[in-house]
Structures are given as C-alpha cells and as structure tokens.
Amino acid sequence: GCLSSLDELIAAQAHKVEALKTHKKGMMQQLFPRKGESQPRLRFPEFRDAGEWEVMRVDDHGTVLAGKALAVKAPGPLRPYLRTKNVLDGLIDLSDVLKMPMTDAEFSRFEILDGDVLLNEGQSLELVGRASIYRSEFRERCAMQNQLLRFRAFPATCAEFAAQYFRKCQKDGTFANVATKTTSVAHLGSSRFSALELAWPWLPEQQRIASCLSDLDALITAETQKLEALKTHKKGLMQQLFTSLEAI
C-alpha cells in the first residue's frame, strides 16, 4: 500500500538523479576537449566561428598557491582552515573545520576568497586534484592547509569554467598523469599543476560553458535533495508503523 507506492516514488526519483548525472558527464565530454586534443567535440552555435581554443598553462589563467603547512606551535591566533576532507567534487563540506595558529601576514597570504578554486593536492591517484569553487560557504574568514592548492582566476578567466574544467581533469585522469606517487598518496604539486597545458577558449565561451554546466549541477543538487527528503519521509513512516504495531 502506502509504503510500496513510496518505494516506487523513491526508485523513480533515484533514476532521475542518475539520468541527470549521466547527462552532465556526457556534456562534460562534449564541451571540453578530450585528452590529448585541443578542440571540444561540441560548441555552442554562437561560438562555432570563434576560432580554435588556445593551449596555455594553468598559471596563464590565474595564480596557483599551496596552503600553509600544519604547525600547531606556530605564532599567531587560531584561524580556521580547509583541508582535503573539506573539498569534494564540486562541493565544499564544512562539517569538520579545524583551526591552527597563523600570523596576520600568513592569514592574508593563505586566505581563501569567494571564487577561488580549491584542489586536493595530496590524495589517492583516483581523487588527486578533486576540485570545487569556493563560494564563501564558511561564515568567517578562512585559510587553507598545504593539502590544498588554490587557483585564483585572472579577470579574463571565468573561475566557474576553471572549476568545471579541473573537475573534468580529475575525472579523466589528466591530473593523475602529472601527479607524483609515493606509497599511498599521489601529489599534484603546485608547480606541475601550474605548468599543465590545457586548451582554453575566450572568456564569453568560457562563461557560456560554465553557466550550462553549473545549471546542470544546480538541477542535480535539487533533485538529490528531493530524493533525500523522500527517504527521510519513508524512515519516519516506518518508525510510526512500528510504534503503532508495538502498541497493539
């Protein structure tokens, strides 16, 4: 009855989320050049005559900085910082933010600002370079530890485009290819990441691609939240049923 129709709703919603994720993956493969190529398979009609994408270093498009090494006994007040655990694929997770001492000078150097793209510097080979744009999710000023790299886009580069591009590079193994591997951890390295050559379009095309992909991300997030709400609702119903059955 009630529960089985809820199960059907949950299954349908889960299918919808998966279909959207598959669609996004396909769009990423079409809108960005494949590994070793400098042109994407698909371009929006208004950019078909905009000329070739230009192969450039990452640091031609923004500044790259590694975070501060963890030092518990260093001078300065305690400041919040983000690390690998906080930077997921396209998501900043603030459920566990730590603090370490930093001087004012260090804090302003390693601070992260709205629009910065953060990448996992050290990770497993599959996850090295996992990236997300920072949108001032943390309510106060915040820095980063050296497990992370910060890419701060120049004015002629769209930060959201860079974030989507880097997410693609993490998923297709581009970052894993340039990373150095020690025992269990792969390191992207700020100098290797800075020197990585990728093909970039002009700013308007970057913005067009970024808005298409971030709209898809927003849709995926919204539909995922609906799925979670349905699951929570089912859990609540189950508890009510069991409680009323026990009462009988």
Side-chain angles (χ1 to χ4, degrees):
C2 175
L3 275 177
S4 62
S5 58
L6 192 54
D7 282 337
E8 281 168 26
L9 269 178
I10 290 172
Q13 187 62 25
H15 182 70
K16 195 172 182 180
V17 170
E18 281 317 301
L20 278 170
K21 285 181 174 171
T22 306
H23 177 58
K24 161 108 199 268
K25 198 175 165 185
M27 289 301 282
M28 298 274 274
Q29 286 165 350
Q30 298 279 311
L31 291 172
F32 289 110
R34 296 189 188 184
K35 268 204 294 192
E37 295 180 8
S38 62
Q39 303 304 308
R41 302 290 159 117
L42 179 73
R43 287 178 87 171
F44 291 104
E46 65 269 38
F47 298 109
R48 290 207 180 120
D49 303 321
E52 304 251 303
W53 287 26
E54 195 183 348
V55 175
M56 291 167 89
R57 287 168 54 112
V58 165
D59 61 7
D60 288 328
H61 284 275
T63 56
V64 175
L65 182 74
K68 184 184 186 304
L70 186 57
V72 220
K73 298 245 190 304
L78 285 174
R79 325 269 194 169
Y81 69 89
L82 301 189
R83 61 201 198 283
T84 303
K85 189 175 180 182
N86 305 113
V87 179
L88 311 179
D89 174 43
L91 184 74
I92 302 288
D93 177 7
L94 299 175
S95 56
D96 180 22
V97 175
L98 303 179
K99 292 184 172 184
M100 71 165 132
M102 282 180 222
T103 62
D104 288 353
E106 287 173 329
F107 195 38
S108 60
R109 173 168 162 78
F110 296 110
E111 187 175 3
I112 51 178
L113 303 176
D114 190 72
D116 283 347
V117 185
L118 301 174
L119 300 96
N120 287 196
E121 196 290 302
Q123 259 288 12
S124 67
L125 211 52
E126 303 75 63
L127 296 179
V128 74
R130 189 168 64 178
S132 181
I133 195 163
Y134 180 69
R135 288 284 179 215
S136 301
E137 286 88 348
F138 201 62
R139 291 282 167 249
E140 47 185 301
R141 290 178 64 192
C142 184
M144 55 166 181
Q145 193 205 342
N146 64 351
Q147 294 180 351
L148 298 178
L149 298 177
R150 183 187 79 196
F151 172 87
R152 185 169 285 169
F154 292 144
T157 294
C158 167
E160 180 66 52
F161 173 83
Q164 296 282 358
Y165 209 166
F166 298 154
R167 288 172 67 188
K168 176 211 167 263
C169 290
Q170 185 256 309
K171 291 186 176 75
D172 72 7
T174 301
F175 288 156
N177 280 351
V178 296
T180 58
K181 195 158 164 32
T182 55
T183 47
S184 60
V185 182
H187 289 281
L188 184 53
S190 59
S191 55
R192 285 186 301 276
F193 173 59
S194 295
L196 184 66
E197 296 196 325
L198 298 169
W200 300 74
W202 288 102
L203 184 59
E205 192 170 358
Q206 289 181 27
Q207 289 163 329
R208 180 74 177 83
I209 292 169
S211 75
C212 164
L213 295 174
S214 33
D215 286 352
L216 269 175
D217 280 340
L219 199 56
I220 291 169
T221 303
E223 297 298 339
T224 305
Q225 282 165 348
K226 281 186 200 166
L227 177 61
E228 292 312 312
L230 282 170
K231 287 178 177 171
T232 308
H233 180 57
K234 182 187 171 183
K235 226 166 142 181
L237 265 183
M238 301 279 283
Q239 280 164 344
Q240 280 177 343
L241 281 172
F242 283 125
T243 325
S244 51
L245 281 173
E246 279 169 7
I248 301 164

